[in-house]
């Protein structure tokens, strides 16, 4: 059987968008500030990414408020915890992705779901639809598709990391496998995939910030069409989010350079 990721990588427009994103990341990694301050840049990127992920969930707060630890909204706190958790999850992502997703949901959904539901796949069919994507697949179909997704993460592929990250993000966002905080989990899993599959090993790219500048729901609806054109549009959006996220982190570097 053909590798589905390499098939997607050959869809029209994908290769060019992926190359543009790679170039943006390569330029970022050459920034002189990273020679001495890479951990600080990564930490700031992580904070901005968490703020952006919460904003995509409908809770938009300022960076200053986050730095002063003034925000107690559970969606924001969940995004912050998920972002912080990524640094500890890297090596496990390829070997035990189910375990990682369960942990990400546990920290992201605390305060939003019952303790008994944290980290557990949903067994019910009706879930919230904050992005207007339509009904999610039932629990049985979701479980089957999640098995297929987990298989992709553990299967060798020549496809670019962005293609895998795009599929991971989209499947988690449209399946809504937990029923709460699925968007935060999806975006955290995307970032983790970009890190662990080689595009952004230092977790510098604030890809979540990139998503704030793009038609997020529209891209997911294109993916849901299942057509080559729709899936290609989504992957190109993911590549654009990486490009924009690299631009955001470059701005962080420049601010640090100026002191």
């Amino acid at each position: 059987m053909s590798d589905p990721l390499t098939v997607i990588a050959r869809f029209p427009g994908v290769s060019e968008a992926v190359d543009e994103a790679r170039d943006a990341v390569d330029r970022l990694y050459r920034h002189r500030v990273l020679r001495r301050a890479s951990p600080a840049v990564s930490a700031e990127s992580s904070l901005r990414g968490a703020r952006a992920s919460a904003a995509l969930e409908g809770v938009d707060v300022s960076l200053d408020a986050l730095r002063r630890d003034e925000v107690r909204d559970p969606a924001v706190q969940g995004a912050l915890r998920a972002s912080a958790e990524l640094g500890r999850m890297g090596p496990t992502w390829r070997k035990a992705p189910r375990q990682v997703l369960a942990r990400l949901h546990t920290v992201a959904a605390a305060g939003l779901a019952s303790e008994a539901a944290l980290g557990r796949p949903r067994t019910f069919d009706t879930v919230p639809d904050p992005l207007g994507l339509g009904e999610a697949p039932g629990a049985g179909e979701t479980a089957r598709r999640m098995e297929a997704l987990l298989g992709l993460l553990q299967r060798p592929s020549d496809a670019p990391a962005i293609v895998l990250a795009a599929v991971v993000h989209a499947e988690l966002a449209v399946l809504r496998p937990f029923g709460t905080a699925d968007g935060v989990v999806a975006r955290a899993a995307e970032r983790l995939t970009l890190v662990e599959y080689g595009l952004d090993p230092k977790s510098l790219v604030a890809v979540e910030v990139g998503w704030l500048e793009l038609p997020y729901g529209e891209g997911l609806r294109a993916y849901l069409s299942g057509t080559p054109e729709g899936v290609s549009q989504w992957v190109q959006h993911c590549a654009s989010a990486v490009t924009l996220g690299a631009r955001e982190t470059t701005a962080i570097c420049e601010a640090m350079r100026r002191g």
Side-chain angles (χ1 to χ4, degrees), residues 62-138:
S62 71
L63 279 170
D64 285 342
L66 288 184
R67 290 193 180 101
R68 292 193 298 268
D69 195 25
E70 295 175 350
V71 182
R72 291 293 173 263
D73 185 279
V76 176
Q77 288 296 316
L80 288 168
R81 286 190 297 266
S83 185
E85 200 72 18
L86 294 185
R88 295 185 282 272
M89 290 293 186
T92 312
W93 186 224
R94 288 177 183 260
K95 297 181 293 184
R98 190 190 312 276
Q99 176 183 329
V100 172
L101 291 175
R103 178 60 184 166
L104 286 175
H105 182 255
T106 297
V107 299
L112 297 171
S114 69
E115 272 196 47
L118 295 178
R120 296 182 180 277
R122 62 178 168 90
T123 57
F124 44 89
D125 292 339
T126 302
V127 294
D129 184 19
L131 295 172
L133 303 178
E135 288 187 14

Side-chain angles (χ1 to χ4, degrees), residues 95-233:
K95 297 181 293 184
R98 190 190 312 276
Q99 176 183 329
V100 172
L101 291 175
R103 178 60 184 166
L104 286 175
H105 182 255
T106 297
V107 299
L112 297 171
S114 69
E115 272 196 47
L118 295 178
R120 296 182 180 277
R122 62 178 168 90
T123 57
F124 44 89
D125 292 339
T126 302
V127 294
D129 184 19
L131 295 172
L133 303 178
E135 288 187 14
E141 182 184 347
T142 294
R144 289 190 293 273
R145 284 177 60 173
M146 285 298 295
E147 285 297 326
L149 178 62
L150 297 173
L152 283 180
L153 284 162
Q154 296 174 289
R155 172 179 170 180
S157 174
D158 293 328
I162 288 176
V163 174
L164 175 58
V167 172
V168 168
H169 184 163
E171 285 291 292
L172 292 171
V174 303
L175 292 176
R176 288 161 269 173
F178 298 103
T180 53
D182 294 295
V184 171
V185 172
R187 290 182 290 275
E190 177 191 29
R191 183 161 181 156
L192 186 56
T193 302
L194 295 172
V195 170
E196 290 304 313
Y197 287 78
L199 181 71
D200 179 25
K202 295 182 179 180
S203 194
L204 298 173
V205 178
V207 62
E208 305 91 342
V209 176
W211 280 115
L212 281 179
E213 299 188 39
L214 294 165
Y216 187 55
E218 177 185 311
L220 285 168
R221 283 187 286 275
Y223 177 85
L224 273 170
S225 73
T227 65
E229 294 79 12
V231 174
S232 172
Q233 180 180 329

